[in-house]
């Protein structure tokens, strides 16, 4: 069975290098043929909204919009239920292709056979 990767991003504009590392690793894994599920939590939750990734900038890093587009095209992107609620984000606010799910779905993904989980 091929391994898959679940990446939980807890950082956003508050910790730009850590945030960008998560998106970069996720996109690199996809480009290598690894199935990827990216979870937006904490301050990265804002990137589930249209236009927010475009506002993010980090020198010498791929644009976050490009990385997010790649993840939406070939992987899965999930926004944490509680994180969305704390920010008053609803499913109607999201970029198409992003879902909202909670801890039970996260636990199911990370405990599946052949899964490697990373948290940034």
């Amino acid at each position: 069975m091929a391994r898959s990767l679940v990446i939980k991003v807890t950082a956003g504009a508050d910790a730009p290098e850590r945030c960008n590392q998560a998106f970069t690793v996720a996109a690199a894994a996809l480009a290598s043929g690894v199935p990827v599920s990216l979870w937006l939590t904490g301050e990265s939750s804002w990137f589930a909204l249209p236009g927010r990734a475009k506002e993010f900038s980090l020198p010498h890093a791929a644009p976050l919009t490009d990385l997010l587009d790649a993840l939406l095209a070939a992987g899965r992107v999930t926004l944490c239920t509680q994180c969305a609620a704390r920010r008053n984000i609803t499913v109607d606010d999201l970029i198409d292709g992003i879902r909202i799910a909670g801890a039970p779905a996260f636990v199911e993904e990370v405990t599946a056979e052949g899964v490697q989980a990373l948290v940034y």
Side-chain angles (χ1 to χ4, degrees):
M1 173 183 274
R3 291 187 68 160
S4 62
L5 188 59
V6 176
I7 298 177
K8 185 177 195 179
V9 190
T10 63
D14 59 324
E17 286 184 292
R18 189 162 33 110
C19 175
N20 188 267
Q21 287 169 357
F23 278 85
T24 300
V25 168
L30 279 175
S32 298
V34 176
V36 174
S37 174
L38 181 77
W39 282 73
L40 302 173
T41 68
E43 285 302 299
S44 73
S45 300
W46 296 113
F47 298 126
L49 300 176
R52 292 295 183 103
K54 191 171 192 149
E55 296 171 4
F56 182 90
S57 178
L58 182 65
H60 309 291
L64 203 63
T65 53
D66 294 349
L67 299 172
L68 182 56
D69 288 346
L71 289 160
L72 287 167
R76 176 189 283 179
V77 180
T78 304
L79 172 59
C80 163
T81 302
Q82 290 181 8
C83 300
R86 279 190 282 278
R87 290 161 180 81
N88 295 313
I89 298 172
T90 69
V91 68
D92 295 330
D93 300 320
L94 302 180
I95 295 169
D96 286 341
I98 296 179
R99 69 178 183 144
I100 294 178
F106 179 77
V107 170
E108 182 179 344
E109 282 191 30
V110 300
T111 59
E113 187 175 337
V115 172
Q116 173 68 50
L118 301 174
V119 178
Y120 286 87

